[in-house]
Amino acid sequence: MNKLLISILALTGGIALAAQSGLNSQLGISLKHPLLASVCAFFVSTLFAIIFVFFAVKDFPTITQIKEIPFYLWFTGGLLSVIGIGIYLYTIPKLGISTMISFGLCGQLIFAAIASHFGWLNVPVEPLTLRKCIGLLAMILGIIITNMKPL
């Protein structure tokens, strides 16, 4: 896949996450608790993931390959997903979807820049350059300006 197509796919993923955050936030309000909405979202996500696996996965890992996977990888991603989505669903009704997504995206980009600079989580190393720092500062300033109360 070429870089433009992958970039469009990533943009589409961001749109889907913002839309699902808004919809699941409404579900959390209707259910009177954001964690109940998280349970529903993750349950339905699991069902869809299982369906997609049947169509997309041709070669399943062997028992030996499964045994080689570090223990923490089986639960940390799911735990962080529940925390992140739970926070989104809790804060969207209080902040609004654009404010929550802007702060959430800011946190993601800052962490991603630091993690990729040091190669944390086994990601490819991408040094933190002056250009990236200026971009991050511009984004943070944009979030602050966007979320300021009118004078």
Side-chain angles (χ1 to χ4, degrees):
M1 229 185 265
N2 69 32
K3 193 167 184 165
L4 176 62
L5 191 55
I6 292 172
S7 298
I8 292 169
L9 192 59
L11 181 68
T12 304
I15 292 168
L17 289 175
Q20 72 86 24
S21 295
L23 293 168
N24 286 336
S25 174
Q26 290 176 37
L27 180 60
I29 290 168
S30 297
L31 293 172
K32 309 281 191 256
H33 204 287
L35 285 177
L36 294 174
S38 293
V39 169
C40 291
F42 284 112
F43 178 74
V44 173
S45 294
T46 300
L47 294 177
F48 277 112
I50 290 169
I51 292 167
F52 294 158
V53 161
F54 285 121
F55 289 105
V57 177
K58 305 265 186 284
D59 297 316
F60 287 90
T62 65
I63 296 296
T64 304
Q65 291 169 324
I66 290 172
K67 287 180 181 179
E68 292 174 357
I69 298 170
F71 176 72
Y72 68 91
L73 290 179
W74 291 103
F75 66 88
T76 51
L79 174 62
L80 293 173
S81 291
V82 168
I83 291 169
I85 297 298
I87 289 170
Y88 269 42
L89 300 184
Y90 176 76
T91 56
I92 286 172
K94 293 162 180 34
L95 297 174
I97 192 168
S98 64
T99 300
M100 176 53 226
I101 295 294
S102 66
F103 282 122
L105 181 59
C106 181
Q108 289 178 42
L109 288 172
I110 290 169
F111 179 80
I114 294 168
S116 64
H117 177 76
F118 292 107
W120 293 348
L121 308 176
N122 235 6
V123 299
V125 173
E126 297 179 53
L128 195 55
T129 62
L130 179 61
R131 176 190 238 169
K132 282 186 184 181
C133 289
I134 291 170
L136 286 170
L137 288 173
M139 184 202 58
I140 292 167
L141 183 61
I143 289 170
I144 292 169
I145 292 169
T146 302
N147 291 299
M148 284 175 54
K149 301 239 188 267
L151 298 174

